[in-house]
Amino acid sequence: VKALCLRDGALAVRDIAVPEPGPDEALIRVSMAGICNTDLEIAKGYMGFSGVLGHELCGVVEACSDRRYVGRRVAGEINLACTHCALCRRGLGRHCATRSVMGIVAKDGCFAEYVTLPVRNLHVLPNSLPDELACFVEPTAAAFEVLDQITPMPRDRALVLGDGKLGMLVAQVLLTTGCQVTLAGKHERKLELARALGLTTATQAELEPKSFDIVVDATGSPTGLQQAIGLTRPRGTLVLKSTYHGRLSLDAAPIVIDEITLIGSRCGPFAIAVAALEAGSIDPRPLIDAVLPLHEGVAGFERSAEPGGLKVLLDMRELAAK
Amino acid sequence: VKALCLRDGALAVRDIAVPEPGPDEALIRVSMAGICNTDLEIAKGYMGFSGVLGHELCGVVEACSDRRYVGRRVAGEINLACTHCALCRRGLGRHCATRSVMGIVAKDGCFAEYVTLPVRNLHVLPNSLPDELACFVEPTAAAFEVLDQITPMPRDRALVLGDGKLGMLVAQVLLTTGCQVTLAGKHERKLELARALGLTTATQAELEPKSFDIVVDATGSPTGLQQAIGLTRPRGTLVLKSTYHGRLSLDAAPIVIDEITLIGSRCGPFAIAVAALEAGSIDPRPLIDAVLPLHEGVAGFERSAEPGGLKVLLDMRELAAK
């Protein structure tokens, strides 16, 4: 079967064997999968990963020890936890020290006809949620993680820095709390899409320094953190959502002087994301730039990496139909 | 009168005029003052300051519009707030955007025979607190700021990284909460002093990665933050206490991946510090390396900057006696 693989730093569609599910795993025929900025960074060397890329998926369970899952459409959590270490027992399986991570750490991903995942990682999808939207369950969950970490108040001024895929989702998530949300970015096309979603937008030049109670760095850029620090008010909160390959140069003094709270934020709650996508309170439709077949995966990465690019989905359904 | 001044990057004891107190200010005859790591950084160019250095003081009010203060021994808060901006009205005067800061930003400091401070910045000292300990009110308040920002639980494992003056104070402050505190540093002499204060100590090599619920970076070094990140458990808390001149190179990915909360921490509550020093729950006595007269201030800075050096106090009392 076909899969989009990173091997020795080179990205290509290759033939691989159908993966063998472990005893507690399901074999999933992938329907669609989304390309994330993290995938672009991994292709540049982030995480030192080698194997099948991809971690945002929607698919159908073909084989599973728990028969109730067979034939069901699912999304899948990406962290494969050991379930018995101290962190797992604390309910922090997403932080299990010996975890593998689908398409990121020591576990083949979902840019493939088939992928395997532990049954406990599966979330059955409602029929009303089409495949295109179901691919956004994982990034929407990551956006909702912010609300697991901070509680915006109605009068809080929140800023999302970065008009990319994740920034647009985080801004929509913050908007559900009733706080005042501004999305700032560099791309007029994306800011226009954001306004159509009901968001207030700004260019970075329009932002007043040290004026936001909450700032989310979703720039995906090593320069984003310093910008975000400069826009956070004293004693304000900065949520760091960007991951990228490489080191950044930072003047950390303003964090101390302004007593900023900086919170790293990664994966989030799937069930809430499924519900919000189903209810339409989060609408990722405008974020879809293109749907490409798997064999055009490399082109999909290039398209996704273009300045101003948004979500590219890879479609494996025609492969299943063959 | 004499003062230790930084001018064009050069540190020297110079003759200055007795400062004129403003309408809401007191004129304080300085008894003793402590040299802080921030002073050493300022002397290297941090904050771009020029003027009389020093912000940890104990002195006697000589003149004041509020007569009740005249003749009283006081410590003084270092931030001079405008009192009417949005931050000041929120009770965040220590973060007032137009503040000056004694010995740090646009306000002469206390390494001098006299200093002026707003009356609202003064804290009258109990007679039982000798001058040597009263000089520690400011840094002890900065250490207590940590408890204003986080609430350690009894089973929490806390680590203070850095066996300098501030690290020793922060470790003692954390110990008052009943959590498990380890102080880690490079200097056997200081670790021995810390053990005499009842602290558990470790060398950095002995620390298990990602194992501490709470980590305080008090290294005062640009490399401290990355070390501290690596020692914080997933979803743990890192308090950043270090300020230094210059930028640092950082791999920020672990903050995101491990969802670490990083909190910048600066000045703190004076009243709590005075009470803790009076009660003896914080004991800075072992931290005093030397007490030197003001005219040996430059030597005091050199002494304070030596590896393994702790607190150097400057004594102005003999000047007053002349």
Side-chain angles (χ1 to χ4, degrees):
Chain A
V1 293
K2 300 289 181 192
L4 184 60
C5 302
L6 185 69
R7 208 177 287 164
D8 302 326
L11 193 68
V13 175
R14 295 192 173 90
D15 282 303
I16 61 161
V18 175
E20 281 283 330
D24 62 343
E25 285 194 328
L27 178 68
I28 303 159
R29 181 179 275 278
V30 181
S31 305
M32 296 186 93
I35 300 175
C36 167
N37 263 28
T38 303
D39 297 318
L40 304 180
E41 293 297 316
I42 292 170
K44 287 190 230 165
Y46 176 63
M47 302 303 292
F49 179 75
S50 181
V52 181
L53 283 173
H55 59 271
E56 302 176 353
L57 92 139
C58 149
V60 177
V61 176
E62 276 212 356
C64 182
S65 55
D66 186 337
R67 304 283 310 162
R68 293 171 300 177
Y69 281 91
V70 176
R72 307 295 294 271
R73 284 173 70 239
V74 295
E77 297 210 34
I78 73 174
N79 296 284
L80 284 74
C82 77
T83 73
H84 49 75
C85 72
L87 286 159
C88 285
R89 280 184 277 117
R90 273 172 101 151
L92 294 176
R94 296 201 297 256
H95 290 285
C96 170
T98 60
R99 73 187 181 278
S100 52
V101 187
M102 173 173 48
I104 299 175
V105 179
K107 166 76 181 171
D108 276 335
C110 61
F111 296 154
E113 291 181 62
Y114 288 96
V115 70
T116 62
L117 274 178
V119 177
R120 63 180 169 276
N121 285 40
L122 303 182
H123 289 259
V124 174
L125 296 166
N127 291 332
S128 59
L129 199 65
D131 290 346
E132 287 80 358
L133 297 192
C135 287
F136 284 90
V137 168
E138 199 279 337
T140 302
F144 270 104
E145 178 71 350
V146 174
L147 299 190
D148 216 35
Q149 301 178 296
I150 64 169
T151 304
M153 293 288 150
R155 294 181 60 180
D156 279 347
R157 297 186 64 211
L159 170 71
V160 177
L161 205 58
D163 53 13
K165 304 175 274 291
L166 187 56
M168 295 260 215
L169 291 174
V170 171
Q172 289 186 68
V173 163
L174 288 172
L175 210 56
T176 66
T177 70
C179 72
Q180 304 166 50
V181 185
T182 301
L183 179 81
K186 297 178 181 171
H187 307 93
E188 186 44 42
R189 177 182 83 96
K190 296 199 223 176
L191 296 179
E192 206 176 303
L193 291 174
R195 285 191 293 272
L197 287 165
L199 291 163
T200 302
T201 65
T203 61
Q204 296 194 11
E206 291 164 351
L207 303 170
E208 193 193 338
K210 297 195 184 190
S211 68
F212 292 92
D213 302 291
I214 296 164
V215 177
V216 179
D217 172 19
T219 58
S221 152
T223 59
L225 179 56
Q226 192 85 64
Q227 286 175 334
I229 290 169
L231 292 161
T232 309
R233 73 157 169 86
R235 291 263 186 130
T237 302
L238 196 173
V239 180
L240 186 56
K241 267 286 176 200
S242 296
T243 49
Y244 35 76
H245 183 51
R247 302 177 72 83
L248 59 87
S249 167
L250 186 74
D251 176 8
I255 301 175
V256 177
I257 293 172
D258 291 336
E259 295 191 311
I260 290 169
T261 295
L262 194 163
I263 304 176
S265 180
R266 189 170 46 101
C267 300
F270 267 50
I272 292 169
V274 170
L277 288 166
E278 195 185 10
S281 60
I282 306 297
D283 183 6
R285 265 172 248 260
L287 309 186
I288 302 172
D289 266 355
V291 181
L292 299 176
L294 178 60
H295 68 84
E296 291 181 33
V298 175
F301 265 64
E302 285 161 7
R303 173 92 185 248
S304 187
E306 278 169 18
L310 283 166
K311 183 66 80 183
V312 175
L313 299 176
L314 299 180
D315 191 345
M316 292 72 157
R317 290 173 302 192
E318 56 177 297
L319 294 165
K322 271 180 206 164
Chain B
V1 293
K2 299 288 180 193
L4 183 60
C5 301
L6 185 70
R7 206 178 288 166
D8 302 325
L11 194 66
V13 175
R14 294 192 174 89
D15 282 303
I16 62 162
V18 175
E20 281 282 331
D24 63 344
E25 285 194 329
L27 178 68
I28 302 159
R29 179 179 276 277
V30 181
S31 306
M32 295 186 94
I35 300 175
C36 168
N37 263 27
T38 303
D39 297 317
L40 304 180
E41 293 296 316
I42 292 170
K44 287 190 230 166
Y46 176 64
M47 305 301 293
F49 179 76
S50 181
V52 181
L53 283 172
H55 58 271
E56 302 176 354
L57 92 140
C58 149
V60 177
V61 176
E62 277 213 355
C64 182
S65 54
D66 186 337
R67 302 284 309 161
R68 292 171 300 175
Y69 282 90
V70 177
R72 307 295 295 270
R73 283 173 70 239
V74 294
E77 298 210 32
I78 73 173
N79 296 284
L80 285 73
C82 77
T83 74
H84 49 74
C85 72
L87 286 160
C88 284
R89 279 185 278 119
R90 274 173 101 150
L92 294 176
R94 296 201 296 256
H95 290 284
C96 170
T98 58
R99 73 186 181 278
S100 52
V101 186
M102 172 171 52
I104 300 175
V105 179
K107 166 77 181 170
D108 277 334
C110 60
F111 295 153
E113 290 180 62
Y114 287 96
V115 70
T116 63
L117 273 178
V119 176
R120 63 179 169 276
N121 284 39
L122 303 182
H123 289 260
V124 174
L125 296 167
N127 291 333
S128 59
L129 199 64
D131 290 347
E132 286 81 356
L133 296 193
C135 287
F136 285 90
V137 168
E138 198 280 335
T140 301
F144 269 104
E145 178 71 350
V146 174
L147 298 190
D148 215 37
Q149 300 178 297
I150 66 169
T151 304
M153 293 289 149
R155 292 182 61 180
D156 279 347
R157 295 187 65 211
L159 170 71
V160 177
L161 205 58
D163 54 13
K165 303 175 275 289
L166 187 55
M168 295 260 214
L169 292 173
V170 170
Q172 290 187 66
V173 162
L174 288 172
L175 209 56
T176 66
T177 70
C179 72
Q180 304 166 50
V181 185
T182 301
L183 179 81
K186 296 177 181 171
H187 307 93
E188 186 44 42
R189 176 181 82 97
K190 296 198 223 176
L191 296 179
E192 206 176 303
L193 291 174
R195 285 191 292 274
L197 287 164
L199 292 163
T200 301
T201 65
T203 61
Q204 297 194 9
E206 290 164 351
L207 303 170
E208 193 192 339
K210 297 194 184 191
S211 68
F212 292 92
D213 301 290
I214 297 163
V215 177
V216 179
D217 172 18
T219 58
S221 152
T223 60
L225 179 56
Q226 193 84 64
Q227 288 177 331
I229 289 168
L231 292 162
T232 310
R233 74 157 169 87
R235 290 264 185 129
T237 302
L238 197 173
V239 179
L240 186 55
K241 268 286 175 200
S242 295
T243 47
Y244 34 76
H245 183 50
R247 301 178 73 82
L248 58 89
S249 167
L250 185 73
D251 177 7
I255 300 175
V256 176
I257 293 172
D258 291 336
E259 295 192 311
I260 290 169
T261 296
L262 194 163
I263 304 175
S265 180
R266 189 170 45 99
C267 300
F270 268 49
I272 292 169
V274 170
L277 288 166
E278 194 185 10
S281 59
I282 306 297
D283 182 7
R285 265 172 248 259
L287 308 187
I288 302 172
D289 266 354
V291 181
L292 298 176
L294 178 61
H295 68 84
E296 291 180 31
V298 176
F301 265 62
E302 285 162 8
R303 173 90 184 249
S304 188
E306 278 170 18
L310 283 165
K311 183 66 79 184
V312 175
L313 300 176
L314 298 181
D315 191 345
M316 292 72 158
R317 292 174 299 192
E318 57 178 296
L319 294 165
K322 269 179 205 163

